[in-house]
Amino acid sequence: MADIILGIESSCDDTSAAVIRDGYLLSNVIASQQVHKDYGGVVPELASRAHELNIVPVVSEALRKAGVKPSDLTAIAFTRGPGLLGSLLVGTSFAKSLSLSLDIPLVMVNHLQGHVLANFIREEGKPVHEPSFPYLCLLVSGGNSQIVKVSSPLEYEIIGQTIDDAVGEAFDKCSKMLGLGYPGGPVIDRLAKEGDPLRFTFAKPHIPGLDYSFSGVKTSLLYFVRDEMAADPSFLDNNKEDLCASFQKTLIDILLDKLIKASKQTGIREITIGGGVSANSGLRDRITLEGKKRHWNTYLPEFRYTTDNAAMIAIAGYYHYLAGERTPLDVAPVSRMADF
Ligand code: KG4
């Protein structure tokens, strides 16, 4: 009999549900929350309320699109954390209730594990392009900047991570402070395409090992713009493309330096990327280029699987389910990675 898994993701500001049958995706529905746009960042309480409004229609739509009845489901996979506690509570409570009412197992998933396994989302009729184990995943999003060594679907180790801001935060905060819009990543990515990446240089961090830091480069950009604006108030307007291109190049350089170091240290040349920032066109081009130069096998997930989605939670949950893992109904969500 087929294993049909419903995945539920609600860790931040996207409510998502997906259905997979024996590892193949049948549906993946995402409701993005527009309510945060006016605030220039995700407002946790508003996110929880929007999840409450979205969760039933999103799950119903995922089941309808998949052509699956609730009674056909084998198990329910859900994001237990890390993320915003109120948001996680909505998905976790919904998953528990459904599991109880259908009398089927519940399987908890670490959100980060979903991201690192995004390349394993299979689709009927599409070629399979999956990294072999062990591989390195550069996980870059609004909340994470990590290098993860993945030894099997269920074994992963964070070998480098940011000691302060995440790279997505650097994109978002700088864009907000410069009045360019939210979320900052896509805006800066778009403007960077029209600018000169070598025009300006910003301070790069010197952090030992494989860890990252992005707060210094963010401050470096903001102070630079502030000083230039004091002399010429039209500086930002006249130079925003070059500023974005140079800033983005600096972030990509920082990410790649440590990824290259991690590959050399571990001897691993299977490289994937994940998380919202992996949608960045400059980063994708650069990883492809470095990959060719360094004989890496690079795997770039499709854009729709780079940001938060339940398909990756369902696939990670499927592996946990196959390994016999079952989550008790008294499970509570956790906001921090360390508490998982
Ligand atoms: O994985 P994700 O959807 O969830 C969070 O961790 O919140 O990532 C969102 C992040 C935001 O910081 C956003 O600015 C960034 O991904 N992002 C991008 C691009 N598209 C989204 N950053 C750079 N370039 C992009 N094209």
Side-chain angles (χ1 to χ4, degrees):
M1 221 176 71
D3 287 324
I4 304 180
I5 313 282
L6 170 70
I8 294 176
E9 156 64 28
S10 72
S11 64
C12 190
D13 60 339
D14 293 306
T15 321
S16 181
V19 179
I20 59 165
R21 183 198 288 124
D22 290 335
Y24 281 83
L25 189 70
L26 300 180
S27 66
N28 183 39
V29 176
I30 305 174
S32 296
Q33 302 178 358
Q34 300 306 317
V35 64
H36 310 287
K37 274 218 152 59
D38 294 341
Y39 302 92
V42 177
V43 183
E45 181 58 29
L46 296 181
S48 316
R49 291 181 199 192
H51 281 305
E52 284 201 320
L53 289 175
N54 291 340
I55 190 95
V56 172
V58 164
V59 170
S60 306
E61 181 67 0
L63 292 172
R64 191 192 63 74
K65 278 194 167 163
V68 160
K69 299 189 295 298
S71 57
D72 297 329
L73 293 173
T74 312
I76 300 169
F78 69 99
T79 305
R80 183 187 177 208
L84 300 172
L85 207 51
S87 295
L88 290 164
L89 263 170
V90 178
T92 305
S93 311
F94 186 89
K96 284 189 199 181
S97 317
L98 198 59
S99 134
L100 194 63
S101 65
L102 296 172
D103 195 21
I104 56 173
L106 195 60
V107 183
M108 69 182 185
V109 171
N110 182 322
H111 181 79
L112 302 185
Q113 193 189 9
H115 276 302
V116 302
L117 292 177
N119 284 92
F120 292 86
I121 301 167
R122 292 188 176 178
E123 286 180 73
E124 215 65 69
K126 286 204 180 170
V128 172
H129 185 58
E130 295 167 0
S132 39
F133 297 99
Y135 63 88
L136 297 179
C137 177
L138 178 67
L139 183 52
V140 277
S141 70
N144 306 286
S145 303
Q146 292 161 333
I147 301 176
V148 187
K149 180 181 162 191
V150 190
S151 304
S152 78
L154 300 181
E155 280 174 284
Y156 53 98
E157 182 193 351
I158 297 169
I159 58 172
Q161 61 186 320
T162 181
I163 58 167
D164 42 53
D165 286 353
V167 62
E169 247 179 302
F171 274 110
D172 292 340
K173 286 181 180 167
C174 286
S175 178
K176 184 181 172 186
M177 299 293 283
L178 300 181
L180 300 176
Y182 170 82
V187 180
I188 293 180
D189 194 0
R190 180 170 46 76
L191 289 168
K193 286 187 186 133
E194 291 151 35
D196 174 4
L198 301 176
R199 169 99 187 275
F200 304 110
T201 45
F202 301 110
K204 282 189 194 161
H206 296 280
I207 309 295
L210 298 175
D211 286 340
Y212 288 118
S213 165
F214 293 101
S215 70
V217 59
K218 178 193 71 187
T219 312
S220 167
L221 169 76
L222 295 176
Y223 277 34
F224 175 71
V225 173
R226 186 198 61 182
D227 292 348
E228 293 294 324
M229 296 281 280
D232 169 13
S234 59
F235 175 77
L236 180 59
D237 271 350
N238 293 337
N239 295 283
K240 55 177 183 290
E241 291 82 3
D242 289 350
L243 280 167
C244 287
S246 303
F247 178 63
Q248 179 170 293
K249 179 184 181 304
T250 311
L251 296 181
I252 295 172
D253 284 348
I254 297 170
L255 289 172
L256 263 293
D257 281 355
K258 293 294 170 89
L259 185 61
I260 291 166
K261 195 169 175 184
S263 168
K264 282 186 184 156
Q265 269 183 21
T266 58
I268 297 173
R269 291 213 180 101
E270 296 281 299
I271 308 287
T272 72
I273 55 175
V277 180
S278 68
N280 185 270
S281 53
L283 178 61
R284 291 172 89 91
D285 290 350
R286 190 61 194 287
I287 286 216
T288 308
L289 198 78
E290 290 291 341
K292 282 197 185 124
K293 211 160 82 189
R294 294 168 194 283
H295 306 291
W296 291 349
N297 293 320
T298 48
Y299 304 82
L300 309 182
E302 287 186 37
F303 283 111
R304 60 207 165 108
Y305 301 136
T306 59
T307 48
D308 291 348
N309 67 85
M312 67 185 195
I313 301 303
I315 203 77
Y318 175 57
Y319 287 117
H320 283 287
Y321 176 79
L322 290 182
E325 289 178 30
R326 306 292 182 260
T327 302
L329 278 170
D330 62 357
V331 65
V334 290
S335 59
R336 297 184 323 144
M337 180 74 182
D339 298 330
F340 206 89

